[in-house]
Amino acid sequence: MGESVPWIKYIELYVSSTATPSEQAASVDEVATLLKKGIFSLETLVKEMEMYLTTTDSIVRSRGNLLLAELLDKLASKPLSSSSIHSLVGFFTERLADWKALRGALVGCLALLRRTADVGNVTDSDAKAVADSYLQNLQVQSFGQHDRKVSLAKLSTLGMLIKSLSGCNRGFDGGFLKPCRLKDTNEVLLHVKFPSSLTKGDNLVYGICEAVDGEKDPECLFLVFHIVECLGQIYPDPSGPLANYAEDMFEILGSYFPIHFTHPNGEDDDTKREELSRALMVSNLFHGTMWSQPKLKLLKQSALPEDVYKENLDTYLYSDVFQLSFASTPLFEPFSIPLLLEKLSSSLPSTKVESFKYLSYCTLKYGPERMASHAEVLWSSVKYAIYMSPQCTPTKDSELFGGMGFKDSDVMMQAFVLLQEVIQQYGDFISLVLGDNDINAFLNSLNQYNEMDDIPSLAKQRLHVVGHILSICAKPSPALCNKVFNSCFPLLMESLGLSVEKSINGYLDEDCSPPAKFNLAAIYLCTELLAACRYVAVSLDSSTPALEFSQQTWSTMLNNSCKPLVKTFFSLLRSTEADQRASSGVYFGVKGLEILATFPESFLLASNSLYDNILSEFVRTVTSGSHETFLWTLTLKALTEIGLFANKHPESAKSVIFEKIVVEKFVSLIPSGESTMPSSLKLKAAFEIGGTRKEFMFKVVHALSAAIYTNFSAAYDEGNHESGKLMIQLLDTYTEKVLPWFLKIGGFEEIPLNFALGIWEKIEHTMYLNLSALEIAMGAGYKDLLSAIMTAMKKAVGSCSKESQEIIINKAFGVLSSSTSFGFESGSSLVKEEDVKQNLNPSDSSCKHEWLTSLFASVIIALRPQTSIPNGKMIIQLFIKSLLNGHVPSAHALGSLVNKLPLEINGMNCSENLTLNKALDMISPTFTGISHHDKVSQNNGSGVDFSSLRLNTLRMQSGINTAIGLAWIGKGLLMRGHEKVKDITMALLSLLMLDREGVDSKELQIIDVEDMHQLRTTAADAFHIIMSDSGECLNRAYHATIRPLYKQRFFSTIMPIFLSLLIKSDASLVSPTYTSRSMLYRAFAHVVSDTPLIAVLAESKKIVPILLECLSVLSKDVANKDIIYNVLLVISGILLEKNGQEAAVENAPIIINLLIDLTTFQHMMAIRETAIQCLVAMTELPYTRIYPLRTKVLQATSKALDDPKRIVRQEAVRCRQSWASIASRTLRF
Amino acid sequence: MASNMVSGLINANPVVYEKKERRTRSAPVDTRNQHSILLPFCGMGGRLGAIICSYQSLTEAELLDNLAYQGKSLKGYYIKDPEHPYSLEELKVITEDAIEVDDKRSYVRVTFTPTVEHCSMATVIGLCLRVKLMRSLPPRYKVDIRVAPGSHASEAAVNKQLNDKERVAAALENPNLVDMVDECLAPSLI
């Protein structure tokens, strides 16, 4: 007894009326945990609690019962012996009569009934006893009202009651998770449970009717729906107990239709909804028939935006549960269908939608026999909704769909669903549809319209609807397809001037030309019908032998009129207007041909020759196109679709024909320059067609590479600038389309590998690069060609694996070292100034040198970190040398190298391979004049040694190059999180702060002020390079090492440095225009605008004053407009955040003055616009702070009202409105 | 003027029309009514220069947009009818056709149609329009506000009252009227 004291305490706490609900809940949890751990058994607990369970004090008794019940609920997954379950259920059943302790009894019963078989559940006889006692003792609806003494809220009591009732039901339907028992033992169960008389079932139904009548609480209602659904499953017998009460039951149920759950907006609303949906999904009350997880997921994935989805979740839930209960038994049919049909005439669209939804569901559940009697009414209501008053709106891109792109309203969509459901269930329904007078009259009236644009909008909508109806009717089965074809196809053919009969003479003669004008409406319907028919054919294809197709009427009809149809479509394509605009004729022509070409092989008898013709026609259309017209794009798309279809069976005749006619044609087009097609179109078409199958794409790639190599030779050996231009396009296609395509598929590494090797091969063999001739021939395009090759090389190398990359780099290095212009003699460890000088003169050899270096840099940039690099030292020297000559790709390559080189190498030949430290040792002296080891010893934070910049001060141009190099190297180091970046930063800052004082007087003479300025600007812009993302190198595609949050880290290290430097430079205002101060601000602006806003916000107190100063300094020079804009964006970001607003409050007057100045910034509209937007954001600041500035702002913005740009004026109006309304009394300003 | 509240609403059951979709920011910029202008400016080092920039003239649609804007939300609503929570566009009191803008001559004319002939709210609506236009147009514009011909019983009187500078100024000094105008122009959260 001694050790049981702790948990007795919890029981006492729970039972006592003074404890708070949270304490009580906690104590239940505690006891439950102890029980689960098996510290003591349930029996012990019951024994200990005996006093609380049986005391005459009703409050204590009810609480005691509730505690036991809640514990049982928590222990749902703990196995219990059948005897203890039996005794517990007996106890609670008895307690049902005790209205004072009712809640506990209900919760307890429910908890026990919910138990699953594997942990011990309630026996059938016990369940019966519960139900009996329930029906005997409880009058649900009257209960809550008269029993006000029960200290429980009415709603929760009712909820409990109905929940337990619903639990009972689970007992009946064999739902102790043994659904197999449902059918055969239903009778037995009922008999066992209600052995006393036949009327017991009646009693139950009656009792339930009584219990659920007039329920208003949504949660209980939910359960009511479920109970009715269960009843429907238990008593399917038309003479069973439910049948007698079906009408009453439905009356209760029907009064809730249509259900729409609106909830008040409130705090606890969310939790309630959450609880509700959790209760639905977690408790397997619902057999997984409905709100199962997949369905919810489906709903989430649907186009609904998140908030709409959340908002409507309840409605969906209720509607679905309700729908289930509605359709739970066919016994409801005589009552529910008339009700739903009646509700269709409601003026509320949502009611109509619901009614159609329920009707579709009921159709599915009630079965064809019962629905047959309603067929006519159903058709007329569906017809009314979709045909008589169609509510569909043309979509925005309707033009692109031949003017027939429509978006149906919700009502129409549901009506179509119903139609589909009914036709699927009850095929005879189709005779109603096809025999409909209105629709037939409409079909006959189509002849009056020749042009799509002539058709009035209502008729167009109807046309769309009829097309949809026919397609729905024909799709479900071949038999239905037959019927639709029989009734409509001859009519349509007739209006096209064609015949369905197999005739030898007459119109079908080869030389007879089709009419000049077509009935486009009929053609539209034809394509819809063909599409439906193709759907049927495809779905039959796998199972049916070819012979059966030919026996179908529709098949015969279609086969007979195939040729003339194709001819008709052809002439639509060839019509003169086809070229100009998105004409509907062209659209339907292409569409129709596409459908005919994608019929299964076994279907059309004359299929192969027809297929040939269609493909040839399409190919002709595409190859004769001179620019991307509507027809051209459409045809190409149709060809790809046909290709995709044909390639589902790669061995089939269709696929072979496709390859022969289409693929080979397009592949052969790639290298030839003769065809009328511009090369961009050729490449696009080839890529699209190649995309239909891997093997085809290989062919395309092969042709593409071959073309690239041929043009390469042509361009370099002969200086042919046409080839150069073509080459740019080829390379672009290769990098932008082909390579990504293979990457997406994966596993085709040899393609980029071969490409890269091929290019190097070409370079090797074209030793006498006639580059100057090419440069002269191509002019500006020359640079484009180089960058195109570089990009292609980077992309190709980047998509290779480590092993392939090693092959490429070895090859590339081989080519490089065999070239004479590179003096790779051993021993030249440092770059000599003579080298620099020597290479400054551009000449033919340096031009070639540039090409080789650029390509090699591209390879280096895209390497993986694991790839080992041969002759690293030489490579670094090469890059340093060319960088100092102003070769930017070399800087990229150096940056990539320091980003990816390993810190240490474990292995035998470590002297061969390059490590990061070795590389830095080589790089540092050149750029900062301090070697790695020196730096370690003197790096006591003493700042920057100006004298070390010997090289830079000597010649400004190489200083600028150094700055660029430092920027990229710094970026590489920063991204991997290397500490050395600090040295680089300091070096850059010293360049930036460089002024005349730092230079010897002797050198001063040779330094031009402009050059000096340019150097410092470059140094400041280096910070932009360091912080921004680059597409050229150092990104994920090129396998850069990227440490998370590196920007934030850099921001927080550099900010204090900037702050102190700015304070220092405050004192020394030397020259007014190009002070080092303004350069500092420039660098600062770059850093701030590239840092993620969240990091800036955290520091906003410190940043805002500097930012403002920075803005005012920068705005003096128009050339800074992009930087100004970026800074302004940071400011607007700060103003929109609470954190930032606090910082802004202190500086409000300065901010506003600055912003006002910027509202008249003539050189960039975006700046004016953003400045005004910032002014609007300022109105969020405390009233007292901004009120004094009001007049000023209003005056300033009145100028902006007359801005040349409309957007700015609109912002100004908004701004004035906001500022005027902070003191709306004054209208005059 | 405001005392009619006692006698109930003047038009208790107005016809409400659908609002037209407003042009959004992402829509392609309207290139109509663009022409180049020269703007003098002070450049670097105080040199005087000029840039040529394309000038987008004020158009009817833009003015209507400006009239539509209220408050910070972009779901702009028009100035409200003093009697109903509907915006003036919903009641077809003002439409795009009824606005005339001549940017070159700095002239704007707004013609509005009261919902009923005897609407005593016409002057208030006119006043609201004037205040709103004062806020959204540069001072160079002359604004003319009129009741549509034949739409109001005392058309001439209303027109005269609305375009009389002195009387408008006087009206805006009347606290009751100002309150009412403010109410109409206040951001609505419907």
Side-chain angles (χ1 to χ4, degrees), chain A residues 1037-1051:
Chain A
Y1038 302 141
H1039 315 290
T1041 319
I1042 303 177
R1043 250 181 101 177
L1045 300 178
Y1046 75 93
K1047 287 185 184 177
Q1048 279 91 326
R1049 202 169 293 126
F1050 188 66
F1051 174 76

Side-chain angles (χ1 to χ4, degrees), chain A residues 966-975 981 985 988 1019-1031 1033-1034 1042 1045-1055 1058 1082-1093 1095-1096 1126 1130:
Chain A
L966 281 176
W968 288 103
I969 294 166
K971 185 173 173 61
L973 287 173
L974 173 68
M975 283 172 87
V981 68
T985 321
L988 277 173
D1021 289 345
F1023 285 92
H1024 179 58
I1025 294 178
I1026 290 181
M1027 287 295 280
S1028 63
D1029 300 317
S1030 164
C1033 62
L1034 288 171
I1042 303 177
L1045 300 178
Y1046 75 93
K1047 287 185 184 177
Q1048 279 91 326
R1049 202 169 293 126
F1050 188 66
F1051 174 76
S1052 55
T1053 30
I1054 194 121
M1055 255 327 119
F1058 270 132
R1082 191 183 175 95
F1084 171 81
H1086 283 313
V1087 173
V1088 168
S1089 48
D1090 288 325
T1091 309
L1093 190 63
V1096 180
N1126 286 337
V1130 176

Side-chain angles (χ1 to χ4, degrees), chain A residues 752-881:
Chain A
L753 174 65
N754 289 338
F755 174 77
L757 288 179
I759 294 273
W760 279 108
E761 195 95 352
K762 272 281 154 195
I763 297 239
E764 192 174 14
H765 293 130
T766 322
M767 278 326 256
Y768 305 101
L769 285 172
N770 195 354
L771 287 166
S772 47
L774 184 68
E775 196 171 353
I776 294 160
M778 286 192 69
Y782 166 75
K783 284 276 167 212
D784 293 343
L785 179 56
L786 177 57
S787 80
I789 293 194
M790 280 176 67
T791 320
M793 181 62 80
K794 280 190 228 172
K795 283 266 159 69
V797 175
S799 47
C800 283
S801 70
K802 172 178 173 272
E803 288 74 25
S804 319
Q805 285 188 342
E806 275 165 8
I807 299 173
I808 297 173
I809 183 120
N810 280 321
K811 171 83 190 168
F813 190 78
V815 175
L816 205 63
S817 51
S818 67
S819 164
T820 46
S821 64
F822 295 91
F824 275 142
E825 68 275 15
S826 54
S828 68
S829 61
L830 268 177
V831 183
K832 296 186 183 73
E833 278 172 34
E834 289 87 294
D835 292 341
V836 178
K837 268 184 205 155
Q838 196 182 17
N839 285 320
L840 274 178
N841 315 321
S843 66
D844 200 35
S845 77
S846 83
C847 200
K848 184 182 171 191
H849 184 110
E850 186 197 343
W851 270 71
L852 281 172
T853 322
S854 301
L855 278 182
F856 192 65
S858 314
V859 175
I860 294 283
I861 285 168
L863 289 184
R864 289 173 189 274
Q866 300 85 6
T867 313
S868 63
I869 301 166
N871 305 52
K873 282 185 184 170
M874 278 191 218
I875 292 173
I876 287 190
Q877 273 169 24
L878 165 72
F879 283 141
I880 292 176
K881 211 156 72 178

Side-chain angles (χ1 to χ4, degrees), chain A residues 1074 1116-1119 1162-1163 1165 1168-1169 1173 1176 1179-1180 1198-1199 1201-1207 1209-1218 1220-1221 1224-1229, chain B residues 23 25 29-30 32-33 37 39 41 44 51 53-59 62 65-66 69 71-72 74 131-132 134-141 172 175 178-179 182 185:
Chain A
Y1074 304 130
K1116 281 180 189 136
D1117 191 350
V1118 178
Q1162 296 296 358
H1163 311 276
M1165 185 196 75
R1168 298 198 297 272
E1169 190 192 352
Q1173 280 167 346
V1176 176
T1179 54
E1180 295 290 311
S1198 83
K1199 273 180 232 148
L1201 284 178
D1202 216 1
D1203 197 275
K1205 295 292 179 196
R1206 197 166 290 138
I1207 290 170
R1209 289 199 296 263
Q1210 259 160 9
E1211 288 301 331
V1213 169
R1214 268 151 219 199
C1215 179
R1216 282 166 68 82
Q1217 176 77 28
S1218 313
S1221 62
S1224 59
R1225 262 320 179 81
T1226 334
L1227 296 157
R1228 319 275 288 166
F1229 41 76
Chain B
R23 185 170 55 86
R25 266 304 303 270
V29 178
D30 185 6
R32 282 174 306 156
N33 303 300
I37 55 161
L39 291 175
F41 79 102
M44 256 161 47
I51 49 169
C53 88
S54 73
Y55 180 84
Q56 300 165 320
S57 320
L58 185 72
T59 61
E62 185 189 341
D65 266 357
N66 287 344
Y69 178 72
K72 286 177 189 90
L74 284 177
V131 170
K132 185 82 185 185
M134 272 160 60
R135 284 182 182 173
S136 43
L137 284 176
R140 67 183 165 96
Y141 277 93
L172 291 180
V178 170
D179 273 348
D182 270 347
L185 296 183

Side-chain angles (χ1 to χ4, degrees), chain A residues 661-675:
Chain A
I661 298 185
V662 184
V663 180
E664 277 171 16
K665 175 75 184 166
F666 282 113
V667 168
S668 74
L669 277 177
I670 295 178
S672 76
E674 285 103 60
S675 120

Side-chain angles (χ1 to χ4, degrees), chain A residues 857 860-861 875-877 879-881 883 888-900 923 927 965 968-969 972:
Chain A
I860 294 283
I861 285 168
I875 292 173
I876 287 190
Q877 273 169 24
F879 283 141
I880 292 176
K881 211 156 72 178
L883 167 63
V888 179
S890 296
H892 295 171
L894 280 176
S896 302
L897 274 176
V898 295
N899 182 256
K900 291 171 202 168
I923 292 169
F927 291 106
W968 288 103
I969 294 166

